[in-house]
Amino acid sequence: VTLAAGFIANRDHLSWETEAERMDANWYGCITQVPPRGHHGGVGFKGRYPLGDAGRAAIGGWDIRPTRLGQALYDSRVLAYDLVRQVRDEMDEMEIMP
């Protein structure tokens, strides 16, 4: 569920409040979407190889629980509530394959 939430946040350029600060969505942590950095190119493959734009990816999958994804994300309490509030409705519309 966190993958889907991160995808939506980045695709829609969302911002949200945490207990400590305001956050803006970014692809940090996704080496295919970060440009090369550092003396020898470092991490990041964006622009180095012909890779697709992650914001255009399709997400799908199976789960053993019938809980809607937005509700599962809310119940898990692993992401900031302000972000969950922004992605929850769309995630609840995602079909979970049995």
Side-chain angles (χ1 to χ4, degrees), residues 58-97:
I59 298 175
W62 294 265
D63 200 344
I64 59 172
R65 296 177 46 193
T67 308
R68 305 302 312 165
L69 293 182
Q71 183 64 43
L73 181 65
Y74 176 77
D75 292 345
S76 71
R77 306 284 200 263
V78 296
L79 296 178
Y81 172 74
D82 193 32
L83 173 59
V84 174
R85 179 187 58 77
Q86 294 179 67
V87 301
R88 185 175 179 181
D89 289 342
E90 181 175 346
M91 289 182 65
D92 275 341
E93 297 298 320
M94 293 178 173
E95 184 176 346
I96 301 169
M97 294 182 259

Side-chain angles (χ1 to χ4, degrees), residues 15-84:
S15 295
W16 61 95
E17 297 289 335
T18 69
E19 292 180 14
E21 62 188 332
R22 183 163 187 77
M23 302 291 296
D24 296 314
N26 61 58
W27 288 109
Y28 297 165
C30 183
I31 64 171
T32 65
Q33 300 303 303
V34 176
R37 317 174 201 204
H39 181 66
H40 297 288
V43 299
F45 297 117
K46 183 87 172 180
R48 186 183 294 180
Y49 304 107
L51 301 171
D53 178 4
R56 299 183 65 205
I59 298 175
W62 294 265
D63 200 344
I64 59 172
R65 296 177 46 193
T67 308
R68 305 302 312 165
L69 293 182
Q71 183 64 43
L73 181 65
Y74 176 77
D75 292 345
S76 71
R77 306 284 200 263
V78 296
L79 296 178
Y81 172 74
D82 193 32
L83 173 59
V84 174

